[in-house]
Amino acid sequence: MATTLTGRQVAELAPDGWVLVGDGLRTCVVTGGFAAGLALVDAVGAAAEQADHHPDLDLRWGHVDVRLWSHDAGGVTQRDVELARTVSALASDAGLTLTVAGLQSLELALDTPDAARVLPFWEAFLAYRRPEGGQDVRDVAGRLPPVWFQESGAGEPRQRWHLDVWVDPGEVRGRIEAAVAAGGRVVDDSQAPAFWVLADADGNRSCLCTWQDREGEEGA
């Protein structure tokens, strides 16, 4: 099994135009049209078959989103970094550009005093599956956001749902400033740069998350 890289290792090794967010190493290739995107997908598919390592590709009219993640290792590995370099080269050869602007991944978290009591319901209701030993439920096809369960006190007068939005560390400050300017506030930054807790004007809380300062990694 391949060794999972730390967030800092990924940030140092990944080629320009790629960022690590919650669900993998990602980029967006700007194609300007469907045919150019389809040609790129074909080229990436051939390279992936040769490497026996396959990315998630989302082909749209003007761009192709690429996500790399080693499922057998449960994280980003050297194989993903190498395939990212290949994708970058193929895009460059085709005269296409990469961008990371706006790339993010979304998780849903449910506050509950008893996760074991409610998790089976959400697994059945969403037709998701619980990973072995996991405390979350996931879409088998990987199309929809995962749902995890956060322990809270039984009597806490707070919302039940909140969002975890994973972004590139370079986008956090601007995102926070925009949210505050739009009437929100920073509730807690004690765990930064791993995550910041923000709230809207009604007090509904959500988190902005990055790979930084997790499992002993230092933030930038």
Side-chain angles (χ1 to χ4, degrees):
M1 181 182 295
T3 301
T4 301
L5 300 174
T6 66
R8 181 159 297 281
Q9 287 173 323
V10 174
E12 292 173 349
L13 294 172
D16 291 341
W18 293 80
V19 292
L20 177 65
V21 291
D23 62 350
L25 182 61
R26 295 179 55 181
T27 192
C28 174
V29 185
V30 181
T31 61
F34 191 82
L38 184 58
L40 177 68
V41 168
D42 285 341
V44 171
E49 280 293 293
Q50 185 174 7
D52 193 27
H53 188 51
H54 304 90
D56 292 331
L57 303 173
D58 184 4
L59 170 62
R60 302 300 176 105
W61 181 88
H63 66 273
V64 177
D65 286 335
V66 186
R67 172 182 175 268
L68 297 169
W69 178 268
S70 294
H71 296 278
D72 59 341
V76 175
T77 68
Q78 185 64 38
R79 290 176 300 177
D80 299 302
V81 172
E82 293 170 357
L83 190 53
R85 292 171 180 157
T86 299
V87 173
S88 293
L90 291 171
S92 178
D93 290 345
L96 305 177
T97 59
L98 277 61
T99 180
V100 299
L103 288 178
Q104 59 186 346
S105 66
L106 174 67
E107 294 180 354
L108 302 176
L110 178 63
D111 295 337
T112 174
D114 190 352
R117 183 168 64 92
V118 300
L119 187 154
F121 168 83
W122 291 106
E123 181 179 10
F125 179 79
L126 296 169
Y128 276 20
R129 292 293 180 269
R130 179 181 182 180
E132 184 176 353
Q135 295 301 313
D136 60 351
V137 292
R138 295 179 176 269
D139 177 20
V140 175
R143 298 187 186 98
L144 300 175
V147 175
W148 63 280
F149 302 86
Q150 176 169 276
E151 182 177 354
S152 63
E156 293 184 18
R158 57 184 301 185
Q159 68 182 44
R160 293 301 185 95
W161 283 104
H162 73 263
L163 305 181
D164 282 347
V165 180
W166 291 77
V167 299
D168 176 53
E171 294 204 0
V172 170
R173 185 53 53 193
R175 188 74 64 95
I176 291 175
E177 291 175 354
V180 171
R185 62 189 176 93
V186 177
V187 176
D188 185 0
D189 62 1
S190 63
Q191 300 301 312
F195 64 88
W196 290 255
V197 183
L198 283 77
D200 66 12
D202 286 340
N204 298 306
R205 302 183 181 189
S206 292
C207 296
L208 282 177
C209 310
T210 79
W211 60 262
Q212 292 181 316
D213 201 24
R214 295 176 184 272
E215 299 181 357
E217 295 183 302
E218 295 181 358

